[in-house]
Amino acid sequence: MKINLVPHRILLMSSGIWQRGKEEEGVYGFLIEDIRKEVNRASKLKCCICKKTGASIGCVAPRCKRSYHFPCGLQRECIFQFTGNFASFCWKHRPVQIITSNNYRDSLPCTICLEFIEPIPTYSILRSPCCKNAWFHRDCLQVQAINAGVFFFRCTICNNSDIFQKEMLRMGIHIPEKDASWELEENAYQELLQHYEHCDVRRCRCKEGRDYNAPDSKWEIKRCQCCGSSGTHLACSSLRSWEQNWECLECRGILYNSEDFQKAKKHTLPNTNSVGITDCLLEESSPKLPRQSPGAQHKDLLRQGSKFRRDVSTIMMELGFQIKKKTKRLWINKANIWNSALDGFRNQNFNPSYTIEVAYINENDNFGREHPGSKQEFLSLLMQHLENSPIFEGSLSKNLSLNSQALKENLYYEAGKILAISLVHGGPSPGFFSKTLFNCLVYGPENTQPILDDVSDFDVAQIIIRVNTATNVADLNSVVNECYNYLELIGCLRLITSLSDKYMLAKDILVYHVIKRVQAPFESFKQGLKTLGVLEKIQTYPEAFYSIFCHKPENLSAKILSDLFTVCTLSDVQALGFWNSYLQAVEDGKSAITMEDILIFATGCSSIPPAGFKPTPSIECLHMDFPVGNKCNNCLALPITNTYQEFQENMDFAIRNTLRLEKEESSHYIGH
């Protein structure tokens, strides 16, 4: 073996050699004479993996006799610690990550490449020591460490470097002592110092020109929320305020037509498709990542990411990161929950990214007292009102209606805004959208074909049915003549020359009534739904959002509720046993109470919100006769009784009567 070909890392890991010289002596402090001795020693040792001589690295575990080459050890999943004494561990004695309890039911994304992985610590899968939900491929971590270096290698979630690097070194991730590769590129971030200020719409209305930008006016330039590399004056795109989202034509096309793209392959780091962990550890070079503008990177993500199967709770958690700790209190009058909510959301000081606090007030209370309210209960009541409001039409699957008063009062925009705020802040699933309305939001009205079930107007439905069931041209012309004025009014009047014309006529009537007729309400509703970036997520992950927008949540079960509630410490064991038996009895129909009643009693919600409960529902056992539900804290206090029969009777009585009184109170408010 030639001395000048011995890789530095093999010298570090070899068991019989130490750095006795200074850094500039020999090979990074390894003296030439010591290297010759180590080569001579290794020539007598056989690799336990490939069975060839030259195995200079041995496992440091006591009484372990295994020796191996550095490349062979990597292939056999040995661990090499590039810190301290540069210890090496064979596959049998290597360090492992110990997880006390695994509460992860579903796969989670690697926070570097976004490929979903099973959250079980193995050689190839590692977990962050500082963030419980952060999991990584070993290959992804090693590539990032090589590129980031010791100064920039840190947890991708919380940016912790000390604890994170210590654990990664223990698990065999090599972190070179060098600056990050992107920091070595000359003027790498020069373009980030410049804001894009140019109006790119087809017809710019600004007399001062496309490059004119006047902040806090209608001639302020708004950049595309997706790519940031296109812009428009507020007035040129009819934007009422800076808070409104805007996408350029290219990004909008990507969002609307994302279903046409093939399913994306594994999302890997740029320029690392063929870089495995063995290559990273054997190569000394620090490959630089190819630079792209932020706009180009985001458009690539839109194309590739649109087909990733994402869990909606994970998406809602990401949207929830926008919520700030600063709070905004809403004073809600249960006698008029919709209007008091509108007043709060329309207040100029309201910011949808602030944490919402709810206080219930009664306008008949002369003392002006307020009572703390549950945010999730308030959002549930608000969603119930929205579902039954006149801006929607239909029975179970609803579409937007045409309500001139609601349009005049801008209620369609407010409805979209409230829906977006509710979802991000922990409100319930809507569950009442028709597939047609959902597809219009995701793919655009021009790419959506409505069906007969979307027509809630009985007379219009009868016209469409008569057109579709016409058996000859005479019958078809008879229908057209009878409905002449209506067809002329909606622009669907056509000359009938053959029986096949009925299909186009029926389609035209459908498209007009369900889509074209409500074009103005739809655009207003869509603008409101852009609040907090909700519409963008819906268009990027339609499969994830379809279930919560178009289907009611599944019925709760005893197991779901049992897993949902955490048990406080020092709880009464017998009461907890009664609680589990009670849940099973309710599921088996042995009680007049339902699972949904229990959840409403404790949290104010009849289903589990897509974003989950905050705080997590909990149970405590207290010496009292009846249960108590604290909806503000999602806490259910169970009574401690002597027998199960007494427990069930008290639970049934308290839950049934509490919900009945609340329902009567709500009906009283509505009646007044």
Side-chain angles (χ1 to χ4, degrees), residues 18-31 34:
W18 292 266
Q19 287 174 297
R20 295 194 303 120
K22 297 180 180 180
E23 191 72 19
E24 62 274 9
E25 293 184 84
V27 179
Y28 295 104
F30 291 97
L31 302 180
D34 292 340

Side-chain angles (χ1 to χ4, degrees), residues 179-194:
D179 208 346
S181 59
W182 57 83
E183 293 291 334
L184 302 177
E185 186 175 341
E186 187 176 357
N187 297 323
Y189 302 100
Q190 191 65 32
E191 71 274 12
L192 298 182
L193 301 178
Q194 302 173 358

Side-chain angles (χ1 to χ4, degrees), residues 226-464:
C226 295
C227 66
S229 57
S230 296
T232 177
H233 291 113
L234 297 182
C236 296
S237 292
S238 301
L239 300 177
R240 291 187 292 272
S241 68
W242 174 263
E243 284 74 23
Q244 283 187 249
N245 293 325
W246 177 81
E247 307 103 0
C248 63
L249 288 175
E250 184 177 358
C251 291
R252 194 177 306 164
I254 294 171
L255 290 170
Y256 282 166
N257 299 310
S258 58
E259 76 275 17
D260 295 332
F261 289 89
Q262 295 180 354
K263 192 168 185 178
K265 297 181 179 180
K266 177 178 177 180
H267 183 71
T268 56
L269 285 173
N271 205 28
T272 60
N273 295 338
S274 59
V275 180
I277 185 171
T278 304
D279 302 319
C280 290
L281 291 177
L282 289 176
E283 297 292 335
E284 186 67 68
S285 61
S286 302
K288 294 183 179 180
L289 300 179
R291 291 201 54 77
Q292 287 181 305
S293 68
Q297 291 176 348
H298 198 100
K299 287 174 182 176
D300 282 343
L301 287 178
L302 284 175
R303 291 189 178 98
Q304 299 178 16
S306 61
K307 279 299 180 180
F308 278 126
R309 292 187 177 273
R310 298 286 304 279
D311 183 75
V312 71
S313 60
T314 305
I315 302 171
M316 298 313 302
M317 181 177 66
E318 294 172 358
L319 287 172
F321 291 150
Q322 303 173 81
I323 301 177
K324 302 177 176 63
K325 292 183 179 180
K326 186 174 181 179
T327 60
K328 174 61 179 177
R329 175 164 291 191
L330 298 178
W331 284 273
I332 302 301
N333 181 5
K334 277 192 173 181
N336 198 348
I337 193 167
W338 174 253
N339 286 331
S340 56
L342 277 181
D343 290 341
F345 290 140
R346 283 173 168 172
N347 188 297
Q348 61 179 359
N349 295 322
F350 177 78
N351 187 325
S353 63
Y354 288 170
T355 298
I356 295 176
E357 287 185 354
V358 175
Y360 289 131
I361 58 174
N362 189 341
E363 60 185 11
N364 297 323
D365 188 346
N366 297 326
F367 297 99
R369 287 170 294 191
E370 60 182 53
H371 308 281
S374 163
K375 177 182 68 175
Q376 288 175 312
E377 179 190 35
F378 158 66
L379 294 175
S380 294
L381 294 173
L382 200 56
M383 195 59 60
Q384 291 174 21
H385 180 95
L386 192 63
E387 181 176 358
N388 298 312
S389 70
I391 68 173
F392 289 99
E393 61 183 20
S395 53
L396 297 178
S397 298
K398 297 179 181 289
N399 290 289
L400 290 174
S401 66
L402 180 59
N403 187 304
S404 58
Q405 186 62 29
L407 199 58
K408 181 179 178 181
E409 296 177 6
N410 204 26
L411 292 184
Y412 291 98
Y413 172 81
E414 298 296 342
K417 176 181 175 181
I418 287 173
L419 183 57
I421 292 173
S422 175
L423 283 173
V424 178
H425 284 266
S429 307
F432 59 85
F433 278 39
S434 71
K435 185 177 181 181
T436 298
L437 176 55
F438 183 79
N439 286 341
C440 284
L441 290 170
V442 176
Y443 308 116
E446 67 277 8
N447 297 318
T448 302
Q449 178 58 47
I451 59 175
L452 184 60
D453 290 343
D454 293 319
V455 180
S456 59
D457 188 305
F458 178 79
D459 294 332
V460 176
Q462 286 301 308
I463 293 174
I464 296 173

